Amino acid sequence: MMKMIIQLDKDKVQAKGYEYDNLIKFMDALFEKNFCIKETNDDESIVYSNSNLSDNHMRDFACIYMVLSESKWFADTCSKWIWLDNDDDETLPFVEEDVLIKERKRNPLFAM
């Protein structure tokens, strides 16, 4: 199973002139198009998980990653971006990658 945990900084969203609800709707549509399920945590971070409706979870999440990593609004407002994977083996723990840290190091859009 693959998951992405994403959180947007509401203060940065407002400061940059974006509409928080519109950004969430965009992400929801992006993940839904790639057959993902949405859950919201108590801290308002969002967990998007793959579902059984797709036959290629890596492709789906790679497409999502590419869109988000090239989006200025996402780079401007993202405060948490974690990718979890357990190779579709529920007996294995999730391997966690902090994508936001990686992008801040390699992607000029995410530079602080």
Side-chain angles (χ1 to χ4, degrees):
M1 174 175 269
M2 289 187 178
K3 298 181 179 190
M4 273 191 190
I5 303 172
I6 296 174
Q7 188 166 26
L8 302 180
D9 182 318
K10 287 185 176 181
D11 293 332
K12 287 182 182 178
V13 169
Q14 183 176 10
K16 294 287 185 176
Y18 300 113
E19 293 290 331
Y20 181 81
D21 289 341
N22 290 341
L23 299 182
I24 296 299
K25 285 177 188 175
F26 176 85
M27 289 193 309
D28 288 351
L30 178 64
F31 280 91
E32 186 178 307
K33 178 181 176 183
N34 287 282
F35 308 105
C36 293
I37 300 165
K38 177 184 176 181
E39 301 170 62
T40 304
N41 290 327
D42 291 339
D43 67 355
E44 295 188 19
S45 62
I46 301 169
V47 180
Y48 294 101
S49 306
N50 65 287
S51 69
N52 294 330
L53 298 176
S54 175
D55 61 350
N56 191 331
H57 306 305
M58 180 53 105
R59 177 199 62 221
D60 298 337
F61 273 74
C63 289
I64 293 164
Y65 164 81
M66 289 178 65
V67 170
L68 294 178
S69 69
E70 296 174 0
S71 298
K72 177 82 171 119
W73 66 266
F74 189 73
D76 287 344
T77 62
C78 182
S79 60
K80 182 190 288 186
W81 189 12
I82 298 170
W83 190 328
L84 303 163
D85 185 13
N86 69 354
D87 289 330
D88 286 330
D89 185 341
E90 296 299 322
T91 65
L92 294 176
F94 282 99
V95 174
E96 182 176 313
E97 180 178 1
D98 191 323
V99 183
L100 185 57
I101 289 174
K102 177 182 145 192
E103 290 302 309
R104 284 187 175 151
K105 290 179 182 175
R106 71 159 206 90
N107 186 338
L109 277 179
F110 285 81
M112 294 189 72

